[in-house]
């Protein structure tokens, strides 16, 4: 059985707005490595639609992008992508699959079928999956910024505190820090 890893950019004040982070080559290389190490991506509908609106054009070469961004886009194009949605059923982007029905059952089946693990990249979905006790690890890239606005990490709240064990902390040249935690069980 694979593990479910929640990975996201976050500012020091908890903002997870994708426009607030540092988007340099080192950041893209970090997330490309995380994607390479996992067997599939998992998103909610909103994140899927944001990704679908940008990355396929970069992968095709229709949009100018630096080499690190193009590498991310090309690998993302090939990676299996799973989407949780109760409002949309058609996901035409290459290698996209819908998870419908019972959330716990659908995501557990995905974990069981993906020995290399699943990389989760949606804040709102992460809250629901954490409530269901399905997240095993957390890989946050903490950016040296205070956004002063939301959306914020776990803004919908959790029923209790999550105890985590630090696996690693790696500083980046621009001041961001890659934090890797495992759920303490």
């Amino acid at each position: 059985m694979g593990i479910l890893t929640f990975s996201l950019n976050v500012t020091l004040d908890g903002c997870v707005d994708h426009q607030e982070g540092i988007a340099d080559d080192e950041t893209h290389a970090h997330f490309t490595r995380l994607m390479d190490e996992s067997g599939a991506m998992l998103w909610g509908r909103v994140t899927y639609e944001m990704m679908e609106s940008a990355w396929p054009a970069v992968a095709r070469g229709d949009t100018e992008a630096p080499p690190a961004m193009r590498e991310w886009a090309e690998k993302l194009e090939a990676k299996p992508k799973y989407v949780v949605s109760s409002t949309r059923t058609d996901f035409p982007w290459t290698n996209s699959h819908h998870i419908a029905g019972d959330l716990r059952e659908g995501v557990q089946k995905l974990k069981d079928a993906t020995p290399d693990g699943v990389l989760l990249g949606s804040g709102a979905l992460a809250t629901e999956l954490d409530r269901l006790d399905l997240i095993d690890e957390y890989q946050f890239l903490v950016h040296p910024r205070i956004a002063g606005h939301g959306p914020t990490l776990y803004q919908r709240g959790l029923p209790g505190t999550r105890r985590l064990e630090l696996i690693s902390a790696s500083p980046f040249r621009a001041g961001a820090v890659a934090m890797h935690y495992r759920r303490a069980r």
Side-chain angles (χ1 to χ4, degrees), residues 103-171:
L103 182 60
R104 178 189 304 276
E105 182 180 316
V107 172
Q108 188 61 58
K109 282 182 182 178
L110 176 59
K111 287 174 64 173
D112 292 345
T114 314
D116 289 336
V118 179
L119 192 61
L120 166 64
S122 292
L125 179 57
T127 301
E128 297 310 311
L129 295 177
D130 220 333
R131 287 178 185 191
L132 295 171
D133 202 26
L134 289 171
I135 297 178
D136 303 294
E137 293 189 358
Y138 303 79
Q139 294 234 16
F140 296 129
L141 187 57
V142 182
H143 294 266
R145 297 189 173 169
I146 296 174
H149 65 83
T152 58
L153 191 61
Y154 291 106
Q155 117 181 359
R156 294 181 184 167
L158 290 174
T161 300
R162 299 294 185 247
R163 291 179 34 99
L164 307 176
E165 298 171 355
L166 179 66
I167 303 301
S168 66
S170 305

